[in-house]
Amino acid sequence: MDSISTFTIADICEGQSFSFEEVITETMIDDFATITGDNNPLHMDRNFAIQRGFKDRVVHGAFLNGLVSRFVGVHLPGKNCLLLGMSMKYPVPTYPHRLLRVTGTVEQISVSAKAMIVQVVIYSITEQIIVAKGKVTVGFTNEG
């Protein structure tokens, strides 16, 4: 489990970035489906997905969103984070057993609004392709 960062808005600057990597397992996909109730066969049945033209079971887009939530909630800014909004696109599907790198770069900070916008990219190191990208608006909670 990752240790939680404790950045405040004063600690953050535009252009600051961070990355972490995660291998997506079939168990993770199964657990996500159990938690959310999204057991669509595209995500759960390899043969079904292949019959529909995919290489394997397709990782839920919302699962990838969860990695972005982990990015801001644990890494940048971490403890003082309040996720306000997220806009993501998924140019290609991703599959189990892929090593993904989640990278976020601070694009804009508003000290008066106590918020920042982070550009995020999820890159499949395994396939050397971007599988998700977007922007996240993050607020900062009061300290203490």
Side-chain angles (χ1 to χ4, degrees), residues 24 29 42-43 54-61 63-64 67 90-100 122-127 129-132:
I24 306 306
I29 296 167
L42 191 61
H43 305 301
F54 296 94
K55 296 177 187 176
D56 201 337
R57 298 168 59 179
V58 176
V59 175
H60 300 76
F63 181 99
L64 299 176
L67 294 176
Y90 315 94
V92 297
T94 194
Y95 306 102
H97 314 293
R98 285 0 186 226
L99 174 60
L100 303 182
I122 302 177
Y123 181 79
S124 172
I125 295 170
T126 306
E127 297 172 309
I129 192 165
I130 293 172
V131 297

Side-chain angles (χ1 to χ4, degrees), residues 100-111:
L100 303 182
R101 179 185 304 123
V102 180
T103 301
T105 304
V106 178
E107 184 175 275
Q108 185 179 354
I109 299 172
S110 172
V111 175

